[in-house]
Amino acid sequence: MDVVTLIWLYILGLVRWLLHEAPLQVINFIRSLPTLIPELLKWLWDFIWFNFKPLAQIIVIPGLAFILLFAMIAVWFERKFLARAMLRIGPYYCGKRSGWLQVIADFLKLFFKEFVIPDDVEKALFLAAPVLLPTIPALAITLIPFDSNWVLFDAGGLSLPVFLAIAGLAPVIPIFAGWAANNKYTIIGSFRTAYLYVSGEIPLVICAAASALLAGSLDLVDIVEAQKPIWFAIPQFIGFLVFFVGLILEAERTPFDVPTAETELVMGWRTEFSGVLFGFTMMAEYVSFLGWTLLFIVLYLGGYLGPSLFGVPLYDHIFWMLLKLAVIVVIVVLIRTVYPRLRLDQTLRLGWNYLMPLALLNLFITIILKWGLMI
Amino acid sequence: MSLLKKLVKPFLVVAPYVARSSQTVKYPDERLVFSERFRGRHHLDLDKCIHCGLCARICPCASIVLVPVEGREGKYPQIDYGTCSLCGLCVDACPRGALTMTDFVEFAAYKRSELVYSPERLAEVPDIKEVLPMLKRRIRPVLTDKEMKYEVVEEL
Amino acid sequence: MTEPEVKPEVMRISWGPQHPMSGQTRILIDVDGEVVRRIIADIGFTHRGIEKILEKRTFIQGIVPIERMVMADTANIALGYVQAVEEALGIEVPERAKWIRSLICEMGRINSHLYAFGLQVECTGYFPAVFLWTTVDREVLLDLFEKLTGARWSYSFFIPGGVRADLPEGFRDEVKRAVKYLRRRFQDYWDAMVENPLFEMRNRGVGILSREDAIRLGATGPVLRGSGVDMDVRRDEPYAAYGDLDFKVITEKEGDCFARLKVRFHEIEQSLNIMEQIADEIPGGPVRTKVPLFPRSKPGVEALSRVETARGELGVHIFTDGGLKPYRVKINSPTLRNMYVFERLAELDKVLVADLPVILYSIDPWYLDCDR
């Protein structure tokens, strides 16, 4: 048989199928519809019920909803608290005299604004950087345990080094963002970011190592469980203070927010972003602050453990974690109200001359304590 | 030790301020009561004016022009609030005291020509409730030893 | 202006009018890494031709435009003009008017110093609490002004021949109450801000101006007194009632930003003392001598009047030609001279980019009176 005959046979077969058998199949499908849709729904319900925990973790805590809500509540709280300390009111009209809708309104406004992309920027980096900025700390937050069986990502007993590795990736993005924007102010800002992050991370890593040493494991859940007798803030008091100061430094909040010093270099590496890109960079500041604060709470303040009242430990629940988070946020906002900004060389001097020797001292004290406890 | 004390002291000074009353005047829900000498919008008494023109001559901003008014003889001052600096030299210069100043400062208009107030408009000062319908309170600042508070003078 | 050439090893940044913290001016800085090699101040953005405006207004009408020259401290500038006019026309001023003038000048000085304080603190990083507190405290002073003169900032209260109105009922008690309130607030400022170790770190040793340089370059006001030079027009050539009042001239030795801040702080305390003295001891009598509304001057008379504004020494020089309006009014403003000192600081001392706003606001520029 030659090709033309084959094609004709195929076409004839197709026509026969269309006229004869296809209607039968359609009628069968329509007859089975009343039972098909409930079957689909049942399958969906089973899927959600079986995978409820990971889904809740991804979407609610510690996933999207928690991070977005935290960013919004933190911004609202900071504005109101700062306003009160300045004898003002803060957001007032948007949301029934307390202004809680103001943050949502601001974010929506940023969404609808035009974002200007100048001609001579590196488009790929310029558009990618604001998206990466909140995503990387959010990735690190997935490793934090919020309850004894509520960890999103199980890193096989190595969650602390993985967290620090992801956090070490974070400073690269502002550098690229500042460079891609092709502007003198932004380049200076991104250089400052680079200096700041390098000088801040090393004491933090050493303190985290000391904490892990005292707990005897590199897994965050084990570190929290090892704090049942006493929170690590007390035996490692120096590390507690060093990590707190380093946390403010890494999250680029006043008094250490040199890279985005508005009074000197407009907005540092954030200058050229507008519209929704700007919204993302603002959110990224709060997300990275959230990431480091959660690590701080897990390493030093006992994570999700409740306080021990008169030697009887209270029930541990995720609520304790949120309470400690709220307390730390209040203290950091209070610090912002009270202190001015340090210059870059003073900040670096603080990081290298004071924080690092203290972190090493803390490590030695922990080694001695552990050795003493073992013997 | 003294460094630690110096670091902590700003907290103790700043933190109580969170509990104090705020200093914002929530305009237009509230409005301040000004003093008697306050220099706001003018009020012209058409019967006292003797058309001497001293107010127009002394005005440093050249905002006053004398224009005729229908139904009356002579010319009366017309003030352009687009250029008036509210200095009050015209009030001092008037020999009969026909021009005085009230405490009304709501001048906002949509066109610049609406800012030119004719003598009839200067003669009648509207009630504050007509211009600010959402006004609820009139307040006045009161100075205590520690802070400045606003007390309510009148509820509307 | 034609800008000088950029050398290849430096980067020229325009700390320009589109900047959150520059004020109404453009400052070109040549930056090498973090060190500023050269500062070029490009002023003139707010030039309105005040001197020419004053040529077109009669002597009494001139009190209104001259205040718009400096809005933070209008009393002292208006006093400079009014005293020059009185000298040119030969008008006498009663005693009580002189004391009221001193009172208003001191209140204006506190007002301006509080504002400068707040700005200097804000530029070191949004020190939010203190800047808004100074705004609130200025409200107290502005309320006093409103009760006395009828306006909050541009009072147009000094007139050749005296002041426009007498003190209202109960004003002296209100002045005393305000002084007590402000004294208590300054204790808070001292604790929260001036003794704040981070704030001191930002300000100490920054922008040092030595005594010889301050005299050679022509600094004035707190910039001069912060470097150890003891000059104040209120004491050297007393005008208004300063001859009868008892106050100290504050100087500090170091010449850095912190010294200038302390000079301003203590000057506010001295002004409060002066206000209390005036409220206690003010003499009675008339407040205004009768002067025609349009006085005519004699031809060929020159008059110079020097006053100490909050920013430094201001001179008003009037030439008359026999008409109703002055022939020429020349104003020598303090900020113009201090901006020249600011430009030379890059050569005298190592200035970092991060220190630039701190130094700029410690000099306390007010570009309106720099450009006139």
Side-chain angles (χ1 to χ4, degrees), chain B residues 17 37 39 57 60 88 92, chain C residues 57 148 150 155 164 166 188:
Chain B
Y17 276 78
R37 289 191 189 182
R39 302 203 295 249
R57 279 186 70 197
D92 283 351
Chain C
R57 303 277 184 276
L148 175 60
Y155 1 101
R164 270 167 79 182
D166 203 349
D188 272 351

Side-chain angles (χ1 to χ4, degrees), chain C residues 301-320:
Chain C
V301 177
E302 269 184 55
L304 170 68
S305 140
R306 294 166 61 187
V307 294
E308 177 84 18
T309 66
R311 285 168 180 84
E313 180 188 321
L314 177 114
V316 179
H317 197 170
I318 290 192
F319 298 84
T320 61

Side-chain angles (χ1 to χ4, degrees), chain C residues 138-202:
Chain C
R138 277 172 55 233
E139 280 294 310
V140 172
L141 284 170
L142 295 178
D143 278 339
L144 277 182
F145 277 132
E146 190 196 317
K147 291 202 175 78
L148 175 60
T149 68
R152 285 154 57 98
W153 265 15
S154 54
Y155 1 101
S156 317
F157 199 58
F158 303 143
I159 203 167
V163 291
R164 270 167 79 182
D166 203 349
L167 301 177
E169 288 284 327
F171 191 70
R172 291 158 73 166
D173 298 322
E174 292 200 25
V175 167
K176 290 217 186 113
R177 223 179 325 155
V179 166
K180 214 162 77 162
Y181 168 81
L182 282 173
R183 280 220 172 98
R184 209 185 164 112
R185 299 284 306 191
F186 283 127
Q187 193 54 40
D188 272 351
Y189 287 145
W190 185 261
D191 290 333
M193 193 201 89
V194 182
E195 292 223 321
N196 195 333
L198 273 75
F199 188 69
E200 242 180 279
M201 268 164 81
R202 269 323 276 281

